[in-house]
């Protein structure tokens, strides 16, 4: 028996099942949705089961309510294979007026035209990401991100990480795919991300809607996109890069592929934080390129941990993606949203983490310590700008709860300017 590793989503799911009729868990394939859902379900129906799949799909078409019979909560795995089940679940929740009835999982966004009701108030949506370093037992979790919101003066000085830079680079290459942790060798662990990428390009981008797409062109797009991860590179420039290195691709094809990759929870761009700190003409509203897991970029670029160790510029961009994945996981239960700030004066902050209650933190990501001063300077400039605009009455938002630099170092400490320096290997 493989040991189940607890996920942050476990607590969210338990809480939601106490007051929601149904919960939908979405996210990329292989991130652990089904395994986690099974820990909370009392009966299961897997629509992808090759033995019963045809019968299930026929029943879903003629008598969908029959598939909902069973002990509750009942797990309906990959429900999007039979979209009729959505309205059946909604109807069942309405009729029973009870909570904790169904858990649905899905690896693709379903076309809204295939369902009659949004499910609002009855079916709650949870996004599951690949595993964070704390969930995979690599971060020691000695510093809680949420504790810093509750106590910004928390003493972190001297807390140490167990992870080295080579450890982090391997984790970036392997990714947060649970199955990789069950493999015996490092080579086998690294193959999971590459297999995921191949299946994504060869199968998933076609089966999502039945439209045949060119796997080679999708791989070309992913490779060019990966070269620009953690950047504000315009889509027109990525299209030009594809055309230069991999052959022709029209804008229509490019945007179709991008849309499909978003529907498959592969592309996870970082949107701009827009509290109108500067005038509208001075703000940049473009999103930053990002994947839901850093290993996708590594696999698309066909890089190895050894190559990344000698290319720390690329490694730094992929490290940022790793940090964003983890911070998204650690803040999800409190409604955390990872955004970024970038204005036309080129003041840029990697992460503005905003909680559902309006509290927020300013965070920079630096793999090494050489860029620490640059990161600290950006944080202080943005905080000073916020204070100045508050005093002039131009904005009405609180000051950041705290500022931090998350890095690949060994020791946590608080700088004289109040900025927390936190190794990602200490964070939870």
């Amino acid at each position: 028996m493989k040991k189940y590793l607890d996920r942050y989503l476990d607590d969210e799911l338990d809480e939601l099942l106490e007051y929601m009729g149904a919960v939908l868990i979405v996210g990329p394939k292989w991130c652990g949705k089904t395994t986690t859902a099974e820990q909370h379900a009392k009966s299961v129906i897997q629509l992808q089961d090759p033995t019963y799949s045809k019968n299930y799909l026929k029943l879903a078409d003629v008598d969908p309510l029959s598939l909902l019979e069973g002990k509750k909560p009942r797990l309906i795995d990959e429900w999007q294979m039979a979209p009729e089940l959505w309205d059946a679940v909604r109807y069942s929740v309405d009729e029973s007026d009870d909570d904790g009835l169904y858990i649905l999982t899905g690896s693709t966004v379903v076309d809204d035209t295939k369902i009659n009701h949004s499910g609002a108030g009855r079916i709650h949506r949870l996004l599951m990401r690949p595993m964070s370093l704390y969930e995979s037992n690599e971060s020691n979790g000695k510093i809680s991100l949420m504790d810093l919101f509750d106590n910004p003066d928390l003493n972190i000085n001297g807390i140490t990480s167990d992870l080295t830079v080579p450890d982090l680079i391997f984790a970036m290459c392997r990714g947060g795919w649970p199955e990789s942790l069950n493999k015996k060798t490092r080579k086998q662990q690294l193959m999971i991300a590459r297999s995921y990428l191949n299946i994504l390009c060869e199968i998933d981008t076609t089966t999502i809607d039945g439209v045949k797409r060119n796997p080679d062109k999708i791989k070309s797009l992913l490779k060019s996109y990966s070269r620009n991860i953690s950047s504000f590179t315009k889509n027109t420039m990525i299209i030009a890069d594809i055309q230069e290195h991999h052959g022709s691709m029209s804008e229509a094809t490019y945007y179709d592929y991008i849309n499909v990759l978003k529907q498959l929870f592969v592309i996870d761009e970082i949107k701009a934080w827009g509290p109108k700190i500067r005038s509208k003409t001075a703000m940049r509203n473009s999103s930053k390129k990002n994947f839901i897991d850093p290993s996708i970029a590594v696999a698309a670029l066909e890089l190895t941990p050894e190559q990344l160790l000698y290319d720390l510029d690329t490694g730094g961009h992929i490290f940022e993606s790793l940090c964003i994945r983890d911070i998204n996981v650690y803040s999800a239960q409190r409604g955390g949203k990872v955004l970024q700030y970038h204005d036309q004066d080129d003041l840029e902050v990697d992460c503005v983490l905003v909680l559902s209650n309006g509290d927020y933190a300013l965070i920079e990501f630096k793999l090494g310590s050489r860029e620490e001063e640059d990161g600290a300077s950006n944080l202080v400039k943005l905080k000073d700008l916020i204070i100045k605009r508050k005093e002039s009455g131009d904005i009405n938002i609180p000051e950041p709860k705290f500022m931090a630099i998350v890095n690949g170092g060994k020791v946590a400490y608080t700088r004289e300017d109040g900025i927390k320096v936190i190794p990602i290997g200490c964070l939870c």
Side-chain angles (χ1 to χ4, degrees), residues 115-150:
I115 57 179
N116 296 323
H117 192 283
S118 67
R122 291 120 171 139
I123 307 174
H124 186 90
R125 181 182 181 275
L126 274 181
L127 172 61
M128 189 176 206
R129 299 172 182 276
M131 300 180 89
S132 64
L133 292 177
Y134 182 67
E135 290 172 311
S136 59
N137 291 330
E138 289 166 288
S139 168
N140 58 37
K142 292 180 179 179
I143 301 174
S144 165
L145 188 65
M146 294 302 103
D147 283 353
L148 286 172
F149 275 99
D150 298 331

Side-chain angles (χ1 to χ4, degrees), residues 149 273 331 334-339 352-356 358-361:
F149 275 99
W273 185 50
S331 65
R334 287 173 63 173
K337 289 184 179 179
V338 171
L339 307 171
V352 182
L353 175 59
V354 183
L355 303 187
S356 58
D359 288 345
Y360 68 97

Side-chain angles (χ1 to χ4, degrees), residues 22-259:
V23 179
L24 166 64
I25 305 174
V26 298
K29 279 189 174 182
W30 300 9
C31 73
K33 298 183 298 298
T34 302
T35 303
T36 291
E38 285 175 337
Q39 312 307 307
H40 303 261
K42 293 183 179 178
S43 66
V44 180
I45 177 171
Q46 295 181 323
L47 296 185
Q48 287 187 321
D49 184 333
T51 304
Y52 303 107
S53 180
K54 288 183 179 179
N55 291 335
Y56 288 156
L57 296 182
K58 287 179 181 178
L59 274 174
D61 189 40
V62 298
D63 186 15
L65 288 174
S66 66
L67 294 177
L68 306 186
E69 296 174 1
K71 291 183 179 180
K72 306 296 189 291
R74 182 161 174 77
L75 168 59
I76 306 169
D77 190 36
E78 297 296 348
W79 76 274
Q80 76 278 354
M81 294 180 64
E84 302 86 355
L85 290 175
W86 181 270
D87 290 315
V89 166
R90 181 191 60 80
Y91 175 80
S92 175
V93 170
D94 279 345
E95 287 295 300
S96 65
D97 194 27
D98 203 355
D99 300 317
L101 299 176
Y102 304 103
I103 305 170
L104 292 76
T105 67
S107 301
T108 64
V109 175
V110 174
D111 186 349
D112 288 341
T113 62
K114 295 182 178 180
I115 57 179
N116 296 323
H117 192 283
S118 67
R122 291 120 171 139
I123 307 174
H124 186 90
R125 181 182 181 275
L126 274 181
L127 172 61
M128 189 176 206
R129 299 172 182 276
M131 300 180 89
S132 64
L133 292 177
Y134 182 67
E135 290 172 311
S136 59
N137 291 330
E138 289 166 288
S139 168
N140 58 37
K142 292 180 179 179
I143 301 174
S144 165
L145 188 65
M146 294 302 103
D147 283 353
L148 286 172
F149 275 99
D150 298 331
N151 180 14
D153 296 323
L154 186 71
N155 182 10
I156 64 170
N157 294 337
I159 295 175
T160 58
S161 166
D162 306 316
L163 298 177
T164 65
V165 170
D167 290 336
L168 288 171
I169 287 177
F170 178 77
M172 286 150 46
C173 295
R174 184 206 63 220
W177 312 106
E179 184 58 29
S180 68
L181 301 179
N182 296 316
K183 302 305 177 186
K184 296 179 181 179
T185 68
R186 289 165 69 92
K187 180 180 179 181
Q188 292 171 355
Q189 291 174 1
L190 292 171
M191 281 303 300
I192 296 298
R194 298 200 173 197
S195 296
Y196 171 83
L197 188 78
N198 286 332
I199 291 172
L200 171 71
C201 296
E202 300 283 348
I203 300 173
D204 293 345
T205 50
T206 290
T207 56
I208 185 174
D209 57 8
V211 176
K212 181 65 177 176
R213 295 179 176 88
N214 187 321
D216 292 333
K217 285 188 178 292
I218 294 170
K219 289 179 181 178
S220 299
L221 183 153
L222 287 169
K223 182 170 287 189
S224 293
Y225 192 99
S226 299
R227 279 196 284 266
N228 293 283
I229 194 173
S230 303
S231 78
F232 295 96
T233 305
K234 294 181 179 179
N235 288 317
T236 52
M237 295 183 66
I238 295 181
I239 293 171
D241 182 70
I242 294 170
Q243 292 173 338
E244 179 181 351
H245 294 97
H246 308 291
S248 64
M249 178 177 287
S250 68
E251 280 194 27
T253 298
Y254 174 81
Y255 286 110
D256 171 63
Y257 289 0
I258 288 290
N259 183 54

Side-chain angles (χ1 to χ4, degrees), residues 275-278 388-397:
K276 298 182 180 178
I277 293 174
R278 295 194 191 274
K388 181 179 178 181
R389 294 300 299 275
K390 276 173 60 71
E391 291 175 346
S392 65
D394 295 324
I395 59 173
N396 183 25
I397 61 171

